[in-house]
Amino acid sequence: MKEQFLVKHAVGGRAFIDTAKQPVDYTWKQVGDQWIFTVKAEKEQVAELLKWKDELNVFIFQAFENQPTRKVWFYVGDDAVRYSEEQGELTIVAVSQIAYVPEQFSAQL
């Protein structure tokens, strides 16, 4: 499976992080009813993203060899984005998600 991690501005659609265009070290995991994304980055790399931290969407696109791409859209709540200068880590906490396969929607139209 190939995975793309994407962090976008919810209103303007501007991408702040897109691993399809520029690789970054990141992890994500579900903890209870939340999803926690951790990104290794220097403060300068995420400075613009932090200005819009209350208006972000996070996406994971999972491409499988013999299946359609699965897209997961995560909703980031208020006060859910933090940056630790000491650790050089950006943390984003999502409170809900929707997983879908775009091909399944177009087939129903």
Side-chain angles (χ1 to χ4, degrees):
M1 175 190 60
K2 183 178 175 185
E3 186 172 275
Q4 178 185 357
F5 174 58
L6 182 63
V7 179
K8 294 181 78 171
H9 183 227
V11 177
R14 176 179 169 199
F16 295 110
I17 298 172
D18 184 349
T19 59
K21 295 182 180 177
Q22 182 175 4
V24 296
D25 289 332
Y26 73 95
T27 60
W28 66 288
K29 62 183 175 182
Q30 184 173 359
V31 178
D33 59 352
Q34 298 181 330
W35 292 264
I36 301 172
F37 298 85
T38 305
V39 181
K40 288 288 189 185
E42 297 297 321
K43 188 170 185 177
E44 299 79 36
Q45 295 173 297
V46 294
E48 192 65 22
L49 176 151
L50 291 171
K51 292 179 187 177
W52 303 102
K53 66 182 181 177
D54 292 326
E55 300 178 14
L56 299 178
N57 284 320
V58 173
F59 298 89
I60 294 288
F61 299 159
Q62 297 172 321
F64 302 95
E65 192 169 319
N66 296 317
Q67 300 174 32
T69 297
R70 179 177 183 255
K71 297 184 177 187
V72 188
W73 175 10
F74 296 88
Y75 175 73
V76 179
D78 293 335
D79 197 33
V81 179
R82 293 177 213 37
Y83 182 76
S84 167
E85 286 189 55
E86 299 81 37
Q87 297 178 341
E89 287 184 347
L90 173 71
T91 302
I92 302 172
V93 179
V95 294
S96 65
Q97 58 93 4
I98 298 171
Y100 60 100
V101 175
E103 288 83 358
Q104 292 176 346
F105 289 104
S106 62
Q108 296 175 359
L109 296 177

